[in-house]
């Protein structure tokens, strides 16, 4: 049976994932936190470098700018306060330099980033340990969209972030369920 990748809908479960990853390996925690705060695919996360987030002077850039691997489109993503704080602590603690990869592979003596396959394995292992159903490396990207929708209900803007062609595709992608629709009907009363 083909399971659909789902977002993490419960903030408590999300915090459990972060605690688990942080307890195992700070790099893995920061990788997950970066993916959740940027809504990028894991393939666009693993090759990021310190210089993508910071100027040589040590100050954070306003945006991280990447060319998406899958679409070839350039994206400018505002670096929020939560991510800045996490990255600042991580970069300092691990003494990462301006040109270093953020998510260094143990193979290659620091000259390579972890592979997409390894990143997927890390997140799958966490999902099995917790356990999280229907979770994989795409779940955090979907979690961002699910939360953005619940906070703003601005489906048009979320569609643009994901480069989706229709609201229906985006709603299905972020896992809006009948229960979510029911809650909306019960919340809006006249």
């Amino acid at each position: 049976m083909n399971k659909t990748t789902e977002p993490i809908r419960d903030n408590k479960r999300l915090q459990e994932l972060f605690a688990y990853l942080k307890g195992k390996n700070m790099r893995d925690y920061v990788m997950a936190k970066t993916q959740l705060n940027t809504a990028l695919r894991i393939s666009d996360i693993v090759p990021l470098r310190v210089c993508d987030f910071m100027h040589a002077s040590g100050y954070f850039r306003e945006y991280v700018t990447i060319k998406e691997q899958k679409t070839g489109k350039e994206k400018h993503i505002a670096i929020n306060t939560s991510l800045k704080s996490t990255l600042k602590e991580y970069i300092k603690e691990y003494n990462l330099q301006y040109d270093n990869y953020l998510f260094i592979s143990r193979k290659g003596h620091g000259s390579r980033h972890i592979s997409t396959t390894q990143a997927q394995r890390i997140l799958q292992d966490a999902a099995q340990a917790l356990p999280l159903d229907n979770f994989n490396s795409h779940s955090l990207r979907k979690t961002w969209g699910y939360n953005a929708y619940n906070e703003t209900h601005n489906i048009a803007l979320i569609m643009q972030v994901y480069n989706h062609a229709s609201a229906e595709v985006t709603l299905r992608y972020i896992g809006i369920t009948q229960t979510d629709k029911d809650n909306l009907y019960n919340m809006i009363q006249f």
Side-chain angles (χ1 to χ4, degrees):
M1 176 170 31
N2 189 7
K3 295 181 201 168
T4 303
T5 300
E6 296 289 335
I8 299 175
R9 292 178 177 84
D10 180 358
N11 192 45
K12 182 178 178 232
R13 297 293 286 156
L14 184 59
Q15 295 311 313
E16 288 171 3
L17 172 67
F18 284 153
Y20 176 83
L21 290 170
K22 196 172 191 178
K24 296 234 8 156
N25 186 313
M26 186 68 162
R27 176 201 65 192
D28 300 345
Y29 161 73
V30 174
M31 178 185 68
K33 188 113 180 196
T34 302
Q35 186 181 24
L36 184 64
N37 279 279
T38 61
L40 290 170
R41 291 174 188 86
I42 201 69
S43 58
D44 294 321
I45 293 292
V46 294
L48 291 171
R49 294 177 183 261
V50 172
C51 60
D52 292 321
F53 289 90
M54 299 185 95
H55 296 283
S57 64
Y59 290 101
F60 275 95
R61 298 180 184 281
E62 189 173 347
Y63 299 96
V64 60
T65 302
I66 63 127
K67 186 174 184 179
E68 287 183 309
Q69 216 173 55
K70 182 177 179 180
T71 66
K73 294 180 180 177
E74 191 171 275
K75 281 192 116 159
H76 303 282
I77 302 161
I79 306 168
N80 67 35
T81 306
S82 175
L83 185 55
K84 282 180 185 176
S85 175
T86 299
L87 288 172
K88 184 177 181 181
E89 177 185 330
Y90 174 66
I91 290 166
K92 183 178 179 183
E93 184 175 336
Y94 289 87
N95 197 29
L96 297 179
Q97 302 303 307
Y98 182 70
D99 286 329
N100 288 149
Y101 289 109
L102 282 172
F103 312 113
I104 297 171
S105 173
R106 291 186 199 125
K107 299 175 183 175
H109 308 292
S111 63
R112 296 191 323 213
H113 59 77
I114 65 171
S115 67
T116 301
T117 303
Q118 180 61 17
Q120 291 168 337
R121 198 174 300 127
I122 289 163
L123 294 172
Q124 277 296 299
D125 289 347
Q128 286 180 336
L130 289 174
L132 294 169
D133 294 329
N134 302 329
F135 182 89
N136 69 24
S137 63
H138 228 55
S139 292
L140 293 174
R141 181 171 154 85
K142 290 183 175 194
T143 300
W144 180 90
Y146 182 82
N147 282 283
Y149 180 75
N150 283 329
E151 286 288 320
T152 68
H153 296 286
N154 189 339
I155 196 65
L157 191 55
I158 297 166
M159 282 172 53
Q160 286 183 357
V161 167
Y162 286 138
N163 293 316
H164 287 167
S166 74
E168 291 79 24
V169 167
T170 302
L171 290 169
R172 189 171 54 248
Y173 181 81
I174 63 176
I176 297 300
T177 64
Q178 185 60 48
T179 302
D180 295 312
K181 294 173 192 174
D182 295 347
N183 290 339
L184 184 62
Y185 281 116
N186 287 322
M187 185 174 69
I188 307 298
Q189 298 184 28
F190 301 94

